[in-house]
């Protein structure tokens, strides 16, 4: 009674060992019966390789040449079996034609009854000779397992059927092996895209963009549906590499329970993993998932599986009846299934959720709320308030010189209000990334350094303005130059900093839209300043004083000032409206990431 349990344990050890190391030397005796390599994935359905023979009839002792050929392959396993009972032991024996790439194996009690590879070198064809035994069945069929890559292989590829020459009964149909193969080793393939039906009522769903259709080529979809003591999980999204989701106790990667669907040679491998900080995920050797299925179509990767709510025997697996932050990431993978770091921020839920609790239909964001607020405040400050404040101070001093607000000239009050608003918004925005990161970020390149420079200049400007000399002071000209140069430097650095920040993973506005839109804003502002400069120059030329005709001078000045005031007010109105358009565009983009 002890022997069967011991045999099962030995078989499990062999398969687990093989799933790590494979059989590069072709010693595949453990697969003699099933002809299935323990490579941890499902076999392919449609064969790419063929088996041919040089005859269709045989007598005991005859030699039949057997050829296996097709696209490059690394490993193979050839047997001959009773065509009417394909699950029976191997029949006959083989003789090698090339000992460099093939070797003889003994399956069961028949010596040299199978042939396999000797190494992983790529091959296009293999030739061997089969020797018919004296007790051969009436009909014999050749079968082959072919390994193209570690996780891409075909099992029991059907070859020709040869019959004894004195047998009158017809051979069984050739397609019987193919049917048996597809029945014995079904591919867990999803037949159609997932459906959002039941989201929020029967299952817990995460979708990005919000309320998107899982069948869409731009929709990231993750659903959880509790079924008694297990949860059925569906995941899909536009990816030709991998999709992964993780359950986390916080909004930072590390110490998380992860589930990956990886595209390997146009087949999908589903695995669990443990995330340790920001390092490469450690894929688990033991599979805790059931009912695994997948689909690859039109650039969309889909996979589904079932997992028990509690897995006390596995330390890395979290209980599914607890609240977690949920991550959903996509990235590239090599043909062999090696995954690379995702090139953009994962989608993350905005709070802790219990996937086995009341069903919900929620969204997720790639940008944390604090980082969104940081970007939005910076855009308001440096696209709107500071730009309008500069235009007012430079071109509206003569226009609004006779208008007063709270005892000061109108242009000065408007300029000061806008600039102080810029400093306030910049200061608040400056603090938010440090609150989110808990310190300095090493992942943001030059962006934080330039941001600190902008913050310092923004604070220095109002401090310097507080010590502004009087209009008639000899130091007023120096102040004017320092004030202008500091402000201009801050504005240039702010634009450069925003250019760099828009493509950081934590925000990552859509490319190349963000770059073109920022270039458009810069051109809009510079164009407005150039237009007003040209207008001011033309106005001065128009009212040049002719010393001998003072009446004409006064008339020219009066009409020119009126004309210039109206033009500048129209330009300012159009400019403010344009800035609002740019601001709304950026704020809309931020809200959608």
């Amino acid at each position: 009674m002890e022997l069967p349990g011991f045999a099962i344990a030995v078989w499990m050890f062999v398969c687990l060992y093989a799933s790590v190391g494979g059989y590069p030397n072709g010693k595949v005796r453990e697969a003699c019966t099933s002809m299935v390599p323990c490579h941890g994935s499902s076999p392919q359905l449609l064969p790419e390789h063929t088996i041919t023979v040089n005859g269709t009839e045989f007598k005991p002792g005859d030699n039949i040449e057997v050829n296996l050929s097709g696209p490059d392959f690394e490993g193979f396993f050839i047997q001959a079996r009773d065509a009417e009972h394909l699950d029976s032991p191997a029949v006959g024996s083989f003789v090698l034609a090339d000992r460099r790439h093939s070797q003889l194996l003994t399956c069961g009690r028949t010596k040299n009854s199978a042939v396999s590879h000797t190494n992983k070198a790529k091959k296009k064809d293999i030739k061997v000779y089969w020797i018919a035994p004296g007790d051969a069945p009436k009909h014999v069929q050749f079968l082959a397992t072919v390994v193209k890559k570690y996780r891409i292989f075909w099992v029991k590829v059907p070859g020709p059927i040869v019959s004894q020459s004195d047998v009158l009964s017809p051979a069984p149909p050739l397609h019987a092996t193919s049917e048996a193969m597809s029945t014995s080793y079904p591919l867990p393939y999803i037949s159609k895209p997932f459906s959002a039906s039941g989201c929020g009522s029967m299952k817990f769903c995460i979708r990005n963009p919000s309320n998107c259709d899982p069948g869409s080529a731009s929709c990231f979809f993750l659903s959880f549906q509790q079924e008694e003591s297990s949860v059925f999980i569906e995941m899909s999204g536009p990816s030709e590499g991998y999709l992964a989701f993780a359950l986390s106790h916080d909004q930072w990667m590390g110490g998380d329970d992860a589930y990956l669907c990886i595209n390997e040679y146009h087949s999908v491998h589903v695995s669990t993993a443990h995330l340790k900080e920001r390092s490469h995920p450690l894929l688990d050797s033991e599979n805790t998932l059931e009912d695994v299925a997948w689909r690859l179509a039109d650039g969309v990767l889909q996979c589904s599986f079932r997992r028990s709510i509690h897995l006390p025997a596995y330390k890395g697996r979290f209980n599914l009846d607890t609240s977690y932050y949920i991550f959903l990431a996509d990235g590239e993978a090599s043909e062999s299934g090696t995954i690379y770091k995702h090139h953009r921020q994962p989608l993350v839920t905005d709070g802790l959720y219990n996937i086995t609790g009341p069903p919900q239909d929620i969204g997720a964001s790639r940008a944390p709320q604090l980082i969104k607020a940081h970007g939005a405040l910076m855009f308001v400050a440096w696209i709107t308030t500071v730009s309008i404040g500069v235009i007012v101070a430079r071109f509206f001093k003569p226009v609004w010189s006779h208008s007063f607000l709270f005892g000061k000239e109108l242009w000065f009050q408007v300029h000061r209000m806008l600039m102080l608003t810029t400093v306030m918004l910049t200061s608040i925005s400056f603090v938010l990334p440090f609150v989110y990161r808990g310190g300095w970020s090493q992942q943001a390149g030059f962006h934080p350094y330039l941001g600190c420079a902008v913050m310092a200049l923004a604070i220095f400007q109002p401090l310097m303005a507080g010590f502004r000399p009087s209009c008639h002071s000899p130091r007023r000209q120096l102040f004017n130059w320092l004030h202008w140069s500091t402000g201009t430097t801050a504005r240039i650095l702010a634009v450069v900093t925003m250019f760099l920040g828009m493509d950081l993973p934590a925000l990552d506005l859509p490319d190349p839209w963000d770059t073109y839109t920022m270039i458009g804003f810069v051109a809009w502002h510079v164009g407005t300043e150039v237009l007003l400069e040209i207008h001011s120059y033309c106005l001065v030329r128009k009212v040049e004083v002719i010393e001998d005709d003072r009446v004409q001078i006064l008339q020219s000045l009066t009409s020119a000032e009126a004309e210039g005031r109206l033009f500048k007010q129209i330009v300012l109105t159009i400019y403010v409206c344009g800035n609002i358009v740019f601001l709304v565009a950026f704020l809309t983009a931020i809200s959608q990431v």
Side-chain angles (χ1 to χ4, degrees):
M1 296 298 293
E2 298 294 330
L3 186 58
F6 174 76
I8 291 173
V10 171
W11 180 84
M12 289 179 64
F13 170 78
V14 169
C15 280
L16 288 173
Y17 175 82
S19 66
V20 177
Y23 299 102
N25 60 2
K27 302 292 186 180
V28 292
R29 293 188 182 90
E30 292 80 6
C32 276
T33 302
S34 67
M35 297 187 71
V36 179
C38 294
H39 287 191
S41 59
S42 301
Q44 306 298 302
L45 182 59
L46 300 177
E48 296 181 353
H49 304 79
T50 57
I51 304 172
T52 58
V53 294
N54 65 346
T56 58
E57 295 184 353
F58 70 89
K59 298 191 298 292
D62 282 355
N63 290 354
I64 292 182
E65 182 180 306
V66 181
N67 289 276
L68 172 65
S69 60
D72 286 349
F73 55 95
E74 294 181 353
F76 65 92
F77 188 47
I78 302 175
Q79 285 187 1
R81 293 192 178 184
D82 185 344
E84 297 177 339
H85 304 283
L86 290 176
D87 292 331
S88 60
V91 174
S93 59
F94 288 91
V95 174
L96 301 179
D98 183 357
R99 295 183 178 276
R100 294 174 303 169
H101 299 119
S102 57
Q103 62 181 331
L104 298 172
L105 297 177
T106 297
C107 285
R109 298 179 180 180
T110 306
K111 187 176 181 180
N112 301 336
S113 56
V115 185
S116 73
H117 54 281
T118 58
N119 52 60
K120 291 179 61 178
K122 293 186 182 300
K123 315 160 187 66
K124 286 186 178 295
D125 58 83
I126 290 293
K127 181 170 69 174
V128 295
Y129 297 96
W130 178 71
I131 303 175
D135 57 350
K138 298 177 181 179
H139 308 285
V140 174
Q141 184 171 16
F142 295 97
L143 304 175
T145 289
V146 184
V147 179
K148 183 176 182 179
K149 291 287 185 181
Y150 182 76
R151 293 192 184 276
I152 295 203
F153 55 87
W154 294 262
V155 173
K156 293 184 178 179
V157 175
I161 296 177
V162 294
S163 304
Q164 292 198 40
S165 54
D166 57 350
V167 172
L168 299 178
S169 61
L174 183 60
H175 65 270
T177 303
S178 178
E179 291 177 351
M181 180 180 65
S182 62
T183 302
S184 302
Y185 309 101
L187 282 178
Y189 196 77
I190 300 169
S191 60
K192 59 183 180 179
F194 295 139
S195 171
S197 175
C199 285
S201 60
M202 298 178 59
K203 56 187 179 182
F204 187 103
C205 298
I206 301 172
R207 291 190 272 176
N208 182 269
S210 297
N211 300 317
C212 64
D213 180 5
S216 168
S218 61
C219 181
F220 287 92
F221 177 77
L222 179 63
S223 73
F224 304 87
Q225 184 169 5
Q226 183 176 356
E227 299 175 354
E228 296 181 354
S229 62
S230 66
V231 174
F232 185 69
I233 301 169
E234 297 174 326
M235 178 166 55
S236 69
S239 176
E240 295 185 353
Y242 71 90
L243 286 175
F245 81 88
L247 306 175
S248 177
H249 296 291
D250 52 38
Q251 290 184 300
W252 297 97
M253 291 180 62
D256 305 328
D257 182 11
Y259 301 80
L260 299 92
C261 299
I262 308 169
N263 182 1
E264 299 180 0
Y265 302 109
H266 308 291
S267 176
V268 176
H269 174 60
V270 181
S271 177
T272 55
H274 182 71
L275 301 182
K276 186 178 180 181
E277 296 180 352
R278 291 178 175 267
S279 60
H280 196 277
L282 303 174
L283 299 183
D284 296 326
S285 58
E286 296 180 276
N287 193 2
T288 60
L289 308 178
E290 301 174 349
D291 300 335
V292 177
W294 59 271
R295 182 175 186 259
L296 272 172
D298 302 323
V300 176
L301 189 156
Q302 295 175 250
C303 63
S304 62
F305 50 88
R306 186 184 310 279
R307 211 216 84 168
S308 297
I309 295 177
H310 300 99
L311 291 171
Y314 300 90
K315 292 184 179 180
R317 306 280 74 79
F318 294 174
N319 292 333
L320 299 184
D321 54 0
T322 307
S323 295
Y324 304 101
Y325 287 98
I326 303 172
F327 289 67
L328 179 58
D330 65 294
E332 297 179 352
S334 67
E335 287 190 356
S336 61
T338 302
I339 66 173
Y340 303 108
K341 181 181 178 180
H342 44 81
H343 61 277
R344 56 180 174 174
Q345 195 85 346
L347 292 164
V348 186
T349 58
D350 59 0
L352 295 164
Y353 290 93
N354 184 347
I355 60 176
T356 58
Q360 298 186 57
D361 189 3
I362 64 173
S365 174
R366 297 189 186 278
Q369 295 300 323
L370 288 176
I371 298 301
K372 285 186 174 183
H374 167 75
L377 292 175
M378 284 299 186
F379 280 126
V380 172
W382 295 95
I383 283 183
T384 308
T385 58
V386 76
S387 301
I388 298 173
V390 168
I391 294 290
V392 168
R394 182 161 181 79
F395 299 103
F396 283 79
K397 189 182 298 185
V399 176
W400 292 344
S401 60
H402 302 297
S403 301
F404 294 88
L405 181 65
F406 302 119
K408 294 287 186 179
E409 293 175 331
L410 178 61
W411 74 267
F412 178 76
Q413 294 287 50
V414 172
H415 173 74
R416 181 165 63 178
M417 178 190 68
L418 291 172
M419 291 310 181
L420 289 177
T421 302
T422 299
V423 175
M424 180 185 67
L425 294 175
T426 303
S427 300
I428 296 173
S429 177
F430 180 78
V431 174
L432 297 181
F434 290 97
V435 174
Y436 170 68
R437 293 288 183 184
W440 186 266
S441 173
Q442 301 293 337
Q443 311 290 328
F446 289 104
H447 177 78
Y449 297 98
L450 294 177
C452 289
V454 171
M455 184 73 255
L457 292 173
I459 293 176
F460 181 67
Q461 273 288 74
L463 292 177
M464 181 170 53
F467 297 94
R468 179 178 68 253
S470 63
C471 295
H472 304 291
S473 172
R475 292 179 296 175
R476 183 56 180 261
Q477 191 68 20
L478 176 62
F479 166 82
N480 289 341
W481 276 102
L482 283 175
H483 193 60
W484 176 86
S485 60
T486 302
T488 302
T489 302
R491 289 162 58 207
I492 293 173
L493 288 179
V495 170
V496 173
T497 306
M498 287 190 291
F499 263 113
L500 296 175
M502 291 187 300
D503 289 327
L504 289 177
L507 189 60
D508 196 19
L509 297 184
D511 290 323
W513 175 90
D514 56 350
T515 302
Y516 292 149
T517 306
M518 182 59 74
I519 292 174
F521 164 72
V522 173
W524 172 254
H525 179 79
V526 173
T528 302
E529 286 207 34
V530 170
L531 177 63
L532 290 174
E533 287 285 1
I534 294 174
H535 174 264
S536 298
Y537 174 78
C538 293
L539 188 63
V540 170
R541 292 295 301 268
K542 190 172 185 178
V543 296
E544 284 183 341
V545 177
I546 304 174
E547 293 183 2
D548 297 334
D549 194 350
R550 296 187 179 276
V551 176
Q552 181 65 34
I553 296 169
L554 293 176
Q555 291 177 347
S556 300
L557 284 171
T558 303
S559 61
E561 285 178 358
E563 180 185 339
R565 185 180 298 111
L566 178 62
F567 179 82
K568 288 182 179 179
Q569 288 175 346
I570 292 174
V571 171
L572 179 62
T573 302
I574 296 174
Y575 176 75
V576 171
C577 292
N579 279 31
I580 292 174
V581 170
F582 279 107
L583 179 62
V584 170
F586 278 115
L587 295 183
T588 301
I590 289 175
S591 68
Q592 293 177 349
V593 294

